[in-house]
Amino acid sequence: MHTKLVEMGVQMIMDKGVEKDGASISEVLVELVKKGLASWEDLTKPIIPLMAQMEDIMMDVPMAPKLMANLIASVITESSGALTLELVTTLCMPIEDIFSRRDVAVPVFKALKSKGPLMKMVMDAKYDVKPLLLDAEAGPAELKEFLEKQDLKVLWVE
């Protein structure tokens, strides 16, 4: 029963297409898990197919990455360590085009930064963003510059 409610909530975030509504729905979904009415797995499971189709979804719903970013950031920050930054990699790696992948991953990192100490998350998880965001043709220097322009230099680990 609650699994279906979670699935509907995740879909509703996309259907509403409004950041404020998405944030409110995300709060409700996280509370369902915190109260034991659903699991973190129940909450992340419906996100996976949406993220796999994100390149197509972005054409119809340009706000889609930002809408999902808030939910994903909330899930990571509220899970008390059950979910880490690796969730971002898991969800975004299926996006083949590096620029589309960046368009989806960067809002998640920015949402995480706004919700808490992103540097601590990076260090605790020994997270390396390079496999996720490095453009093989452009090289590491381009990624470092890109992250600086996005105000996410905290993700760059030498």
Side-chain angles (χ1 to χ4, degrees), residues 70-147:
N70 187 53
L71 175 59
I72 295 165
S74 293
V75 166
I76 291 170
T77 56
E78 297 294 329
S79 71
S80 300
L83 298 168
T84 67
L85 291 172
E86 287 301 325
L87 179 63
V88 181
T89 300
T90 301
L91 294 172
C92 295
M93 277 309 270
I95 301 170
E96 291 181 23
D97 177 67
I98 188 67
F99 300 106
S100 295
R101 189 181 310 152
R102 285 179 175 184
D103 287 345
V104 174
V106 165
V108 176
F109 291 124
K110 286 184 174 184
L112 282 165
K113 186 177 178 185
S114 74
K115 289 179 180 289
L118 182 58
M119 168 83 81
K120 182 173 177 2
M121 287 184 234
V122 170
M123 296 314 218
D124 287 352
K126 295 179 177 42
Y127 185 72
D128 184 4
V129 74
K130 292 175 199 82
L132 179 64
L133 299 181
L134 180 66
D135 180 356
E137 294 177 20
E142 183 274 338
L143 176 58
K144 185 176 182 179
E145 183 180 324
F146 172 79
L147 292 171

Side-chain angles (χ1 to χ4, degrees), residues 24-88:
S24 297
I25 296 166
S26 294
E27 287 177 28
V28 170
L29 294 174
V30 166
E31 282 302 311
L32 281 172
V33 175
K34 286 179 156 185
K35 299 226 185 279
L37 301 172
S39 68
W40 292 115
E41 183 181 348
D42 292 337
L43 186 47
T44 56
K45 192 174 179 183
I47 299 171
I48 294 168
L50 285 173
M51 295 298 283
Q53 299 172 20
M54 190 56 71
E55 286 179 275
D56 295 329
I57 293 171
M58 288 187 317
M59 290 180 201
D60 296 327
V61 184
M63 286 286 298
K66 202 165 189 181
L67 295 169
M68 282 293 99
N70 187 53
L71 175 59
I72 295 165
S74 293
V75 166
I76 291 170
T77 56
E78 297 294 329
S79 71
S80 300
L83 298 168
T84 67
L85 291 172
E86 287 301 325
L87 179 63
V88 181

